[in-house]
Amino acid sequence: MTLWNGSYPFYPGANACFPFDTTRAVIVTIFLSMLATSIIILPGIRGRGRLFWFLRLVLGLFMGAVILTVQFTRDWETGWVQANTSYKSFSPAQVKADIGLHIGLAGVNVTLRGNPVRQINETINYNEHFPWNFGADYDQSYSQGLEKGLPSPILYVAEKFTMQSPCAVHRQYRIAGHYVSLTLWLAFCTWLISILLFSMSILLYGGHMLLLTAALTFFSLLFFSTARNTLKCPIQFGSVSLRTDYGESFWLTLAAG
């Protein structure tokens, strides 16, 4: 079994349910290994400098891990709703399901999870990704979803972000995602420079680079907020609507900054 979009595709048939994100697991493992290696040499540092060195190390690794991880996460903006909705086009069958929308820097994930999972003789547990990063065609991905016969709720939510949609949010989110990603890569570079300067005991310039890293992370949040605050079309399922708010990655980036 091979990797697909950073995850192992444990799903039958057309279902695309991602149990975990391998990219995040790899990044966390690398940074934890660096922390463990540094702790081993900690007894060699004498006096109060040991505590300051350790705190600087932990905070520095935390900031670097966050900046790198949120580049690949898909939860910058999230929302859930529980609704009774049609399951397939041209079918009167209704299902009770939890519908989730997860917006990342590189695209949109739409989740459909039956409540209960087993209904109308099917296992309803989908998580479909529609990318808009460089080299990806969101509308083509949406068309492929139509050809695959994805459930109606997934196609309905994904259609809101197509270029032909009257909602007109595709361009804002796509451009904002590109600028956020670029700014975070710059922040990661300045973070690397600050770590190098700190390791050479050039604390003043290391601190300046760390401040620049924080400023770049705040600029990335500002770029994403410009798309988040645009007027949106309602995503309605009967009498309930799917509303989104800032997700885990947004708040984690804010904390790191």
Side-chain angles (χ1 to χ4, degrees):
M1 185 172 290
T2 59
L3 286 175
W4 187 78
N5 280 351
S7 299
Y8 288 102
F10 294 104
Y11 56 88
N15 283 11
C17 181
F18 304 113
F20 57 87
D21 187 344
T22 55
T23 303
R24 182 183 299 187
V26 169
I27 294 173
V28 171
T29 301
I30 291 174
F31 277 86
L32 286 179
S33 300
M34 294 171 61
L35 179 61
T37 303
S38 301
I39 291 176
I40 293 175
I41 65 175
L42 187 63
I45 302 175
R46 298 181 179 180
R48 291 190 302 175
R50 178 187 303 174
L51 177 61
F52 294 129
W53 184 87
F54 180 73
L55 290 177
R56 192 169 63 214
L57 173 71
V58 172
L59 293 176
L61 289 179
F62 170 75
M63 176 174 281
V66 169
I67 293 173
L68 189 58
T69 301
V70 296
Q71 287 274 11
F72 308 101
T73 54
R74 300 171 183 175
D75 56 356
W76 277 77
E77 184 178 344
T78 61
W80 285 92
V81 68
Q82 187 177 94
N84 292 317
T85 180
S86 61
Y87 181 55
K88 295 283 188 180
S89 300
F90 310 109
S91 172
Q94 295 273 321
V95 296
K96 183 179 181 182
D98 297 319
I99 304 163
L101 172 61
H102 316 278
I103 302 174
L105 303 182
V108 169
N109 267 61
V110 185
T111 302
L112 178 68
R113 186 180 305 145
N115 190 9
V117 176
R118 187 73 179 176
Q119 296 182 56
I120 58 173
N121 296 323
E122 287 192 35
T123 299
I124 304 174
N125 193 9
Y126 291 80
N127 190 334
E128 292 290 334
H129 181 63
F130 301 89
W132 57 45
N133 54 306
F134 287 117
D137 188 332
Y138 184 95
D139 286 7
Q140 181 181 2
S141 179
Y142 174 74
S143 299
Q144 291 174 349
L146 287 172
E147 295 174 1
K148 288 167 60 179
L150 294 177
S152 296
I154 293 180
L155 296 174
Y156 169 67
V157 175
E159 189 272 337
K160 298 290 186 180
F161 293 87
T162 59
M163 295 186 66
Q164 291 78 21
S165 172
C167 295
V169 295
H170 175 87
R171 184 171 179 272
Q172 289 91 328
Y173 272 104
R174 185 171 184 268
I175 293 176
H178 291 167
Y179 276 108
V180 172
S181 180
L182 175 61
T183 307
L184 287 175
W185 280 122
L186 289 175
F188 186 71
C189 292
T190 57
W191 172 81
L192 286 175
I193 295 174
S194 70
I195 293 298
L196 178 62
L197 292 173
F198 281 137
S199 66
M200 298 169 62
S201 298
I202 309 176
L203 303 184
L204 179 61
Y205 292 106
H208 288 167
M209 295 306 297
L210 206 56
L211 286 175
L212 179 57
T213 302
L216 288 171
T217 59
F218 284 128
F219 274 119
S220 70
L221 298 176
L222 181 62
F223 289 142
F224 187 80
S225 297
T226 59
R228 170 69 178 82
N229 292 326
T230 55
L231 185 64
K232 296 181 176 63
C233 292
I235 303 177
Q236 200 75 22
F237 293 94
S239 60
V240 297
S241 59
L242 175 58
R243 302 180 184 276
T244 59
D245 204 348
Y246 293 120
E248 176 185 337
S249 293
F250 181 91
W251 297 116
L252 194 58
T253 306
L254 178 62

